[in-house]
């Protein structure tokens, strides 16, 4: 379930195939891949992904993030820029660069992350972007052809997108959280590297704790989204329909395409 792909130069890359749904089916393999940034892929990695069936890459990052760490091209795949947060929005961001900048100004990383997960539920622009994401998923009709979606760490924008897709497919909430929290295993080395660099730069203990808040997938973050969904929409199905804008047929089609 959710196996790691055999790519040597990318963080937090794993597929969503194998997770069981509440009606006894499973998410199909070689259809859905989640990842962190793809700027360090080498030729062997891109060849592997092409052979794996990757046909579409959806990049949730801001234009600035894409410019600073551009994805390496995968010859078989179209790369679609779909920034989740409004480009002009500076008050809330899941970009590690922006979170760090606000930490330097005295803003809590923990509170910033909670605000990100609230905005997933309350910001119409974000709903529109995830609606487009689901539209791309609905176009992925051929067997053994994959959509890969990613942000910078593959944790928040990607984690929420994965949670909503698994919810649409009827995967149990406990399994959704299990997948979300796997990020901490796959990003452990990267997180420690960042902490060591920060220590060497002489940052405060408070900033070190902030790095942990920024880089770790914490259950309370995603739970904040689910709690707000329950409060404002009643349940996730209603949020997918009214918030994100999926129709009943869309849900049926997603399950036809992605479940076995």
């Amino acid at each position: 379930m959710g196996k790691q792909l055999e790519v040597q130069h990318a963080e937090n890359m794993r597929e969503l195939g194998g997770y069981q749904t509440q009606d006894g089916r499973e998410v199909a393999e070689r259809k859905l891949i989640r990842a962190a940034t793809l700027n360090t892929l080498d030729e062997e990695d891109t060849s592997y992904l092409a052979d794996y069936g990757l046909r579409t890459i959806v990049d949730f990052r801001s234009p600035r993030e894409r410019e600073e760490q551009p994805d390496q091209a995968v010859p078989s795949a179209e790369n679609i820029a779909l920034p989740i947060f409004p480009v002009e929005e500076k008050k809330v961001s899941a970009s590690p660069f922006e979170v760090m900048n606000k930490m330097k100004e005295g803003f809590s990383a923990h509170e910033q992350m909670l605000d990100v997960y609230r905005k997933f539920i309350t910001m119409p622009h974000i709903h529109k972007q995830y609606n487009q994401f689901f539209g791309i998923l609905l176009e992925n009709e051929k067997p053994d052809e994959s959509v890969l979606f990613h942000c910078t760490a593959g944790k928040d924008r990607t984690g929420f997108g994965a949670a909503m897709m698994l919810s649409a497919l009827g995967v149990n909430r406990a399994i959704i959280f299990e997948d979300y929290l796997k990020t901490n295993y796959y990003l452990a080395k990267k997180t420690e590297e960042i902490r060591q660099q920060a220590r060497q730069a002489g940052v405060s203990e408070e900033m070190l704790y902030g790095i942990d808040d920024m880089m770790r997938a914490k259950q309370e973050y995603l739970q904040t989204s689910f709690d707000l969904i329950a409060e404002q929409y009643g349940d996730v199905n209603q949020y997918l329909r009214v918030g994100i804008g999926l129709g009943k047929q869309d849900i049926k089609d997603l399950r036809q395409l992605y479940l076995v």
Side-chain angles (χ1 to χ4, degrees):
M1 295 191 300
K3 71 176 182 180
Q4 185 177 22
L5 270 63
E6 296 176 13
V7 171
Q8 300 302 310
H9 302 93
E11 304 287 347
N12 204 14
M13 184 180 291
R14 48 205 166 90
E15 73 154 82
L16 297 180
Y19 287 125
Q20 191 170 38
T21 63
Q22 294 178 73
D23 64 5
R25 290 183 285 177
E26 287 186 355
V27 180
E29 295 186 351
R30 292 179 178 260
K31 292 291 288 180
L32 289 165
I33 304 168
R34 55 175 295 175
T37 185
L38 308 180
N39 63 306
T40 56
L41 296 176
D42 64 11
E43 187 174 344
E44 187 175 338
D45 293 330
T46 58
S47 177
Y48 169 85
L49 289 169
D51 291 343
Y52 199 81
L54 181 59
R55 297 295 178 266
T56 307
I57 296 168
V58 182
D59 188 347
F60 290 151
R61 298 176 301 164
S62 68
R64 176 173 182 166
E65 290 171 285
R66 282 174 61 86
E67 182 179 346
E68 292 180 346
Q69 295 184 317
D71 286 349
Q72 293 296 316
V74 177
S76 63
E78 177 186 9
N79 192 300
I80 301 172
L82 188 63
I84 291 300
F85 289 100
V87 174
E88 68 280 3
E89 178 64 59
K90 299 298 183 184
K91 293 181 179 179
V92 60
S93 173
S95 159
F97 177 83
E98 295 293 344
V99 173
M100 286 288 287
N101 274 348
K102 293 192 74 175
M103 284 168 60
K104 292 174 184 176
E105 296 171 8
F107 291 92
S108 158
H110 181 261
E111 186 54 41
Q112 286 186 70
M113 299 315 304
L114 289 175
D115 198 36
V116 163
Y117 283 81
R118 295 184 194 106
K119 288 295 193 296
F120 287 148
I121 312 308
T122 62
M123 187 176 279
H125 174 88
I126 292 176
H127 298 164
K128 184 180 74 171
Q129 299 304 87
Y130 280 116
N131 177 276
Q132 291 187 52
F133 171 56
F134 275 101
I136 293 166
L137 295 178
L138 285 164
E139 293 173 357
N140 182 36
E141 296 179 338
K142 295 181 180 179
D144 300 328
E145 291 194 357
S146 299
V147 173
L148 182 153
F149 55 103
H150 81 95
C151 50
T152 295
K155 175 176 71 79
D156 305 306
R157 290 162 286 186
T158 298
F160 182 78
M164 291 304 101
M165 179 55 172
L166 292 174
S167 294
L169 295 179
V171 173
N172 183 278
R173 183 76 56 84
I175 294 175
I176 291 172
F177 272 98
E178 177 186 317
D179 176 75
Y180 174 73
L181 293 171
K182 281 183 179 180
T183 282
N184 295 329
Y185 172 78
Y186 291 118
L187 282 186
K189 182 179 177 181
K190 183 68 173 178
T191 301
E192 185 55 31
E193 287 175 0
I194 293 172
R195 287 176 62 86
Q196 290 294 343
Q197 291 168 3
R199 282 194 187 97
Q200 291 171 9
V203 304
S204 66
E205 282 298 316
E206 186 177 357
M207 283 284 284
L208 290 174
Y209 284 123
I211 289 170
D212 187 68
D213 288 332
M214 177 182 71
M215 292 299 296
R216 288 183 61 81
K218 297 190 175 185
Q219 180 145 336
E220 67 175 305
Y221 294 164
L222 186 57
Q223 188 63 53
T224 294
S225 292
F226 279 118
D227 288 347
L228 205 50
I229 285 172
E231 179 183 320
Q232 297 194 357
Y233 292 91
D235 59 31
V236 177
N237 288 335
Q238 191 72 355
Y239 170 72
L240 291 171
R241 289 196 296 267
V242 178
I244 292 181
L246 298 182
K248 289 183 179 179
Q249 189 60 47
D250 293 329
I251 300 293
K252 290 179 180 178
D253 290 344
L254 286 168
R255 295 183 178 187
Q256 180 68 30
L257 290 172
Y258 291 96
L259 297 181
V260 293

